[in-house]
Each structure stands twice: as C-alpha cells, then as structure tokens.
Amino acid sequence: SHTIKETINAKKTRKLVKIPSLSESIPDKIQYLLIGGGTASFSAFRAIKSADPTARVLVISAEGYLPHMRPPLSKELWYGDDTEMAKSLNFHQWNGTSRSLFYEPEPFYTPVEELTTAKNGGISLARGWKVESINVSQKKVKLNDGKEISYDKCLIATGSIPKTLKLYDDASEELKNKFSVFRSINDFEDLWEQLGHIKSIAIIGGGFLGSELAASLANKGKKNGVKIYQIFKEKGNMGKVLPNYLSQWTTEKVRNEGVEVVTETEVKNCSLDNDKQQVNLVLSNGKNISVDHVIMAVGAKPNTELAADAGLEIDSKLDGYLVNSELQARTDLYIAGDCACFYDKQLGRRRVEHHDHAVISGRLAGENMAGAAKPYQHQPMFWSDIGPSVGYEAIGIVDSSLITMGVFAKGNHKDPSLANETDQNTSTNKKEINEELVSKNNESISENDYNKGVVFYLKNDVIVGIVLWNLFNRMSIARQVLKSDRCYKDLNEVAKLFNIHGD
Ligand code: FAD
Ligand code: NAD
Ligand code: NAD
C-alpha cells in the first residue's frame, strides 16, 4: 500500500523539499487545480494553457521535485559514464542529444504567491504538498495540513505506487532496510549511491521495470564488480507481453549483459545472514542466494486513495478511477494517466501504465477541462529498452496470452526473405499447440535471430495490438493498421507495410 511505500522512502532519510513551506501562500480558490506533479499533470497544464492562455493553474505535487519524466530513471541515466551528468539528472537520448529529466526549469512556474494576481495567469506548483481529500459536491480539496482549496475544474493525476511483496511487509525493520522499490528520483539517487559500495543485488520481477533495470544495473555494475540477479515467475523476460520465443530470446540478451536471470521461480522466504550484512533469499527452485540488496519490481497499483472519501467509483477488474470517454469521473472532475480506467471506443475498457498514455490522456483531460468535449480516440504507444540490443515500441493490447503472429527479418542475411512465427494459444487445444510450439520455437531460436520484426496480437482475427521489434519510426503505420479494425486474410501482407528490411 502507499503507506508502506512512504515508509520505505522516509527511511532513506532524505528530507522532503516543501515549497512553499507554509500553505498560507497557496491560493484558497483556483480556476484549474491539478493533483499530482507527474507526466499526465504536465501534459494537462500545457493543454489548458494553449486553449486558455490566461488560465490560472495550480499543481499540487507530493514529490519534492519539479514535474519530470520517469523513463530514463531505469535506462538512459545508467548508461552515461559521467557521474555529474547523472547527478544533475541529464541524460543522452537515443539520438545522442542531451536532455533533462525535468520538463520545465524552475522559472517557468509562477510563484504560488503571485498566481492569483499575475496579469496573464500562469502555472504554479506547490511541491512536497499532498491532497488528503476531495469534496466533490462542494468542489474543494483539503491539503495534508488541513488547508482547503476551492476549484472550478479539477484533475486527479496521482499515478501509481509500487507494489511490495508480502514477505517484505511481514519482515522486521532491520530486514526491510535491505529492500527497496524503484519509481522516483529519490529511488534512483539511493540506488546510484548504493551501487558504489555493495557487491550484489537481486531484482524480483520480470516485467518492464525489472527487465530494464536488470540490464542497466548489470552494465553499470560491470565496472565495480556488482553481481545482478533477476528472479521472476515467468518463463522469460517480459513473458506477460512478448510471445514465448521472443521472451526467451530477450532473456538470452539480458544474460549476455551479465545478469543471472532465474526464471520460473518465486522467492519463498527471506532472512538476514548471521552477520546481518546480507539477505538470504529462499527460492522455490530449491536454491538459496545471498545478496546485499533486494529491489522489488513486482508491479504497480494505481493511486486511488482519494476515491473512498470522495465517493468515486473504482473499476472492479482493472482498478483505477472509472471515467467516461471524455475522462470525467464527475462534473468538473477529470482523471488522467496511470490511475484512470477509461473507455477506449475501439478496444473497450482499459487502464494503461505508460508514458505516452500519460501524455495523451493528460492532454485530452486538459483540453476538456478548458471546454472541449472530445472523446478518447488517439491510441497511445509505449516503448521499452532492455539493454543496448533490445528496443521495442508497441500499441494497443499486447498480451502474450492472445494469439500472436510475428514476422521477422532473417538474421543478418542479405536475402530479404522473412521468417515467420505463429504462436496460437487458443483455449480449446492450448496444451497440444503449446507443446508443438515450444519445440518449433526452440528450433527457430537457434536458426533465427529475432533482430527486428513486427508482432501482431489478435482477438477474433482482428489485430488489437502490435509490437515493433527493434523497428522504429513506424508507429503511424501501426496506428493505421490498428484503427482499420479489419480481419486481414494474410498477415504477411500487412507486415510488408512495415518495410521491415528498411531503416
Ligand atoms: P506519475 O508519474 O506517477 O505521477 C503522479 C504524481 O502524483 C506524483 O508526482 C505523485 O507524487 C503525485 N501524487 C500522488 N498522490 C498525490 C496526492 N494525494 N497529492 C498530491 N500529489 C500526489 N513508460 C513508458 O511508456 N516507457 C518507458 O520507458 C517507461 N519507463 C519507466 C521507468 C520507470 C522507472 C518508471 C517508474 C515508469 C516508467 N514508465 C515508462 C511508466 C511511466 O513513467 C508512467 O506511466 C507515468 O509516469 C504515469 O504518469 P502519471 O502522471 O499518471 O503518474
Ligand atoms: P509489471 O507489471 O510490468 O511486472 C511485474 C512483475 O512482477 C512480473 O514479472 C510479475 O510476475 C512479478 N510479480 C508480481 N507479483 C509478484 C509477486 N507477488 N511475487 C513475485 N513476483 C511478482 O510491473 P513493473 O515491472 O514492476 O513496473 C512498475 C510500473 O512501472 C508499471 O506501471 C510499469 O508499466 C511501469 N514501467 C514501465 C516501463 C515501460 O513502459 N517501458 C518501464 C519501467 C516501468
Ligand atoms: P516519439 O517522438 O514518437 O515519442 C513518443 C512519446 O514519448 C512522446 O510523448 C515523447 O515525448 C516521449 N518520449 C520519447 N522518448 C522519450 C524519453 N526517452 N523519455 C521520455 N519521453 C520520451 O518517439 P521517439 O522519441 O522517436 O522514440 C521513443 C522511444 O523509442 C525512445 O525511448 C527511444 O529509445 C526509442 N527509439 C530508439 C531508436 C533507435 O534507433 N535505437 C530510434 C528511435 C526511437
């Protein structure tokens, strides 16, 4: 729960920056109130300002930092050799240019004291402050020190919170000190510092965060001899997203980065070693490993703590605040980003925990708050980079339990013929087909290098999701294919649209 996460952060003895230090200087009444200082909120205030240039926007953020993006925290920031650069939270993008984690520098924001009187309005940030409750009928919120703020329009963009393991929740304080979660700048800074003096880390989880971080830390750790283990239940990295053969292939790449990947395994128990320096993890595969530190990368939970008191509905299946196509939970109350469970006219009810969705839904919420009444219809993409040789982008519903069909460029051959992989996990004869596929895929793993290609995800023969595997600048084509909502007879033909052999 979020209280656990707060305890983890508090333990790291970093003092939360609180600006302004007293809530008296925060306006009592504001036109646009945004709860959360993440990407969805940033995208919303941009959209509000462009629709309504003299808007007065107040952002309340529980984080002590200016609004920033999270993706480089598990990737780019670990690859530079320049410690000063990482400390200043600058990173090199894939195209070589350098960029800051922060969306806007400090002077961009109007000091909160001036927001009500500034001639052209502005965007102010109260950071280190938390909204404790919302009164939806009176249209006001209460801060953690009791201060009340009335709003005309409000956005909840509170993101998500890392989950923790039960064995962690039940552990002693001493043992808990050896564990962490990873989501924020503080978490990045703590881990960076730790890497300087520890010799081994176990990452639990095989999803986005665990896989990206394992590859990044192994790369960084090579220089100081830090051993990285990654332990998870699935058969391979990103096993819930990628078809099995591709997940296996990716796992080999992660191993090549120097990570000891332990698949199909759970952590059953943990304890401090005799000298209390290391954590001993008891694994379901019968083995034990001892490490200096453990990172839990076991998923995130949407932050909906404001719901109960405000009487807002949470989706019983997908979690997150239930909103309509215009991203409204109630009149004048909008939700965007990780914590929104929204209606996608094409693909149905969804909740998406990725950067571009935060950008797109934040923008739509901002536009609608400023008077537009647009439905959600632009599909967001997401991307992930796992070490230097695996990068992909995706759109729609990408779930490895669906039927998938992948088309790849053959190895490094000059011959432009394509290799073709079908993964048909139909529920009727799942076992049989799976077995047949495992052997077929195992064969193809040795003979085929899945360097680049495209994977289609199908529901009732219609493409509902697409992964572009080490293939960039094709997202608009993928978006078109997804939008057409058609049953294609020959997916090889569709694959040709992506010009897989081109650059
Ligand atoms: P967040 O960014 O979580 O922001 C929520 C904000 O709300 C926080 O500032 C929080 O402190 C604040 N808040 C919460 N409750 C309150 C309250 N009551 N009062 C005031 N403030 C509050 N996605 C990709 O597509 N590609 C990637 O490569 C990628 N890499 C990632 C790497 C890492 C390490 C992480 C953690 C995530 C990554 N993601 C990536 C996911 C992406 O960052 C998230 O989907 C995105 O941050 C969601 O934005 P958000 O604004 O909804 O929430
Ligand atoms: P995830 O859902 O992608 O992966 C969770 C992993 O933890 C899975 O391997 C799962 O099997 C495992 N797990 C779940 N419960 C467990 C348990 N009780 N015991 C052991 N293992 C368990 O989530 P994540 O990788 O932790 O990522 C955290 C958040 O950050 C997510 O919202 C994610 O979307 C986001 N993120 C996204 C990106 C990206 O889009 N490239 C990168 C990093 C993080
Ligand atoms: P894009 O410009 O279409 O960006 C999509 C969205 O993601 C935008 O909202 C953008 O602001 C955001 N975004 C892109 N990169 C980001 C980052 N590193 N951190 C935070 N936000 C980011 O897509 P793009 O920039 O062409 O590429 C998206 C991803 O694809 C990048 O992470 C990059 O690593 C990868 N990529 C790799 C190569 C390659 O040759 N290896 C080429 C192109 C893109």
Side-chain angles (χ1 to χ4, degrees):
S1 76
H2 84 280
T3 40
I4 289 163
K5 162 75 175 138
E6 275 171 356
T7 327
I8 302 180
N9 277 348
K11 242 181 359 223
K12 302 278 152 57
T13 62
R14 213 176 286 275
K15 202 166 174 298
L16 180 67
V17 178
K18 207 171 176 185
I19 302 175
S21 55
L22 296 174
S23 66
E24 286 156 20
S25 30
I26 303 175
D28 304 324
K29 193 176 175 335
I30 192 73
Q31 190 182 9
Y32 296 99
L33 180 75
L34 313 186
I35 308 174
T39 297
S41 182
F42 155 76
S43 181
F45 69 61
R46 250 197 189 173
I48 292 170
K49 258 303 193 192
S50 75
D52 179 357
T54 58
R56 296 178 203 279
V57 185
L58 174 64
V59 181
I60 311 278
S61 171
E63 279 180 288
Y65 291 92
L66 299 175
H68 56 275
M69 58 186 87
R70 303 193 190 278
L73 291 172
S74 53
K75 301 181 272 293
E76 289 91 333
L77 279 168
W78 295 99
Y79 285 90
D81 272 334
D82 185 347
T83 301
E84 285 315 309
M85 191 169 172
K87 278 193 174 155
S88 62
L89 301 168
N90 290 310
F91 62 95
H92 289 293
Q93 300 191 101
W94 59 271
N95 58 7
T97 56
S98 121
R99 183 169 173 179
S100 166
L101 208 61
F102 299 103
Y103 289 120
E104 299 289 356
E106 182 101 51
F108 169 88
Y109 299 93
T110 304
V112 280
E113 299 80 4
E114 296 164 23
L115 183 60
T116 318
T117 50
K119 195 165 144 262
N120 295 319
I123 296 150
S124 289
L125 175 70
R127 50 178 155 141
W129 288 94
K130 203 173 163 199
V131 170
E132 288 265 291
S133 61
I134 309 179
N135 185 325
V136 179
S137 50
Q138 292 179 16
K139 298 205 338 192
K140 59 186 186 187
V141 305
K142 198 184 270 183
L143 299 188
N144 43 340
D145 73 341
K147 184 195 169 81
E148 293 189 334
I149 307 168
S150 304
Y151 61 80
D152 293 341
K153 308 272 176 187
C154 178
L155 174 73
I156 302 181
T158 48
S160 46
I161 306 156
K163 289 184 188 165
T164 54
L165 293 167
K166 181 152 191 322
L167 56 84
Y168 166 85
D169 299 343
D170 298 341
S172 68
E173 283 308 310
E174 212 176 12
L175 186 51
K176 276 185 177 165
N177 273 323
K178 299 281 182 194
F179 283 74
S180 60
V181 292
F182 190 89
R183 186 165 179 91
S184 66
I185 290 179
N186 282 349
D187 299 334
F188 167 76
E189 289 175 339
D190 287 337
L191 192 57
W192 183 278
E193 196 187 300
Q194 288 233 34
L195 223 57
H197 56 84
I198 60 175
K199 289 289 164 230
S200 53
I201 297 183
I203 296 172
I204 306 178
F208 291 100
L209 181 61
S211 303
E212 291 179 358
L213 209 50
S216 300
L217 294 186
N219 178 283
K220 182 91 194 147
K222 271 175 206 159
K223 288 157 200 142
N224 8 6
V226 182
K227 167 100 186 155
I228 310 294
Y229 297 89
Q230 190 190 4
I231 306 159
F232 53 83
K233 290 183 276 200
E234 293 84 13
K235 285 186 183 160
N237 288 79
M238 298 307 313
K240 286 184 174 166
V241 171
L242 302 175
N244 188 38
Y245 61 91
L246 209 48
S247 164
Q248 300 285 332
W249 189 82
T250 303
T251 305
E252 281 317 303
K253 297 283 178 193
V254 176
R255 288 187 172 130
N256 289 342
E257 286 302 296
V259 180
E260 184 155 339
V261 187
V262 187
T263 62
E264 296 178 87
T265 299
E266 285 178 68
V267 179
K268 286 284 178 207
N269 212 336
C270 63
S271 57
L272 277 176
D273 270 4
N274 288 340
D275 60 1
K276 300 196 171 177
Q277 293 303 306
Q278 287 200 310
V279 187
N280 184 39
L281 299 175
V282 181
L283 308 183
S284 59
N285 64 6
K287 296 192 177 134
N288 283 19
I289 55 171
S290 287
V291 290
D292 296 328
H293 190 75
V294 183
I295 300 170
M296 295 172 280
V298 293
K301 190 189 166 350
N303 183 348
T304 54
E305 56 182 334
L306 295 169
D309 199 41
L312 299 173
E313 188 176 358
I314 299 301
D315 189 87
S316 57
K317 246 167 78 188
L318 299 169
D319 208 345
Y321 293 100
L322 208 51
V323 291
N324 64 16
S325 294
E326 287 102 66
L327 305 182
Q328 276 174 313
R330 293 279 294 269
T331 303
D332 299 330
L333 183 63
Y334 296 76
I335 322 272
D338 279 13
C339 67
C341 184
F342 59 99
Y343 186 64
D344 174 340
K345 293 195 297 171
Q346 193 187 352
L347 300 174
R349 257 292 139 212
R350 294 172 71 192
R351 199 170 62 72
V352 177
E353 294 175 359
H354 295 288
H355 175 90
D356 193 43
H357 168 70
V359 173
I360 285 173
S361 64
R363 185 170 64 216
L364 179 65
E367 287 170 342
N368 286 346
M369 288 167 85
K374 292 192 197 166
Y376 177 97
Q377 57 193 3
H378 185 66
Q379 279 296 334
M381 54 81 83
F382 73 79
W383 74 92
S384 175
D385 299 306
I386 304 173
S389 53
V390 178
Y392 64 97
E393 298 184 344
I395 190 163
I397 300 172
V398 288
D399 175 343
S400 60
S401 68
L402 295 174
I403 291 175
T404 68
M405 148 91 179
V407 180
F408 295 86
K410 260 194 177 163
N412 296 321
H413 296 205
K414 290 210 174 94
D415 169 15
S417 62
L418 300 175
N420 186 327
E421 289 294 337
T422 313
D423 197 347
Q424 298 195 334
N425 298 332
T426 53
S427 51
T428 41
N429 48 4
K430 193 167 184 171
K431 188 163 180 284
E432 208 179 305
I433 289 177
N434 265 345
E435 277 169 5
E436 183 199 310
L437 273 172
V438 169
S439 62
K440 183 176 155 213
N441 289 339
N442 280 348
E443 262 170 41
S444 27
I445 283 167
S446 53
E447 88 188 27
N448 193 23
D449 225 0
Y450 299 105
N451 278 320
K452 57 179 185 167
V454 54
V455 183
F456 302 109
Y457 293 71
L458 304 162
K459 256 188 203 171
N460 304 324
D461 298 330
V462 172
I463 297 172
V464 294
I466 300 173
V467 162
L468 299 174
W469 191 250
N470 279 327
L471 201 58
F472 300 97
N473 308 315
R474 271 55 161 199
M475 199 36 84
S476 55
I477 305 168
R479 206 169 257 130
Q480 281 303 323
V481 169
L482 200 67
K483 216 174 171 178
S484 75
D485 224 359
R486 279 178 42 201
C487 282
Y488 289 96
K489 282 236 154 45
D490 185 357
L491 290 173
N492 282 303
E493 287 300 311
V494 186
K496 283 184 188 160
L497 296 172
F498 291 88
N499 185 21
I500 294 172
H501 289 279
D503 277 333

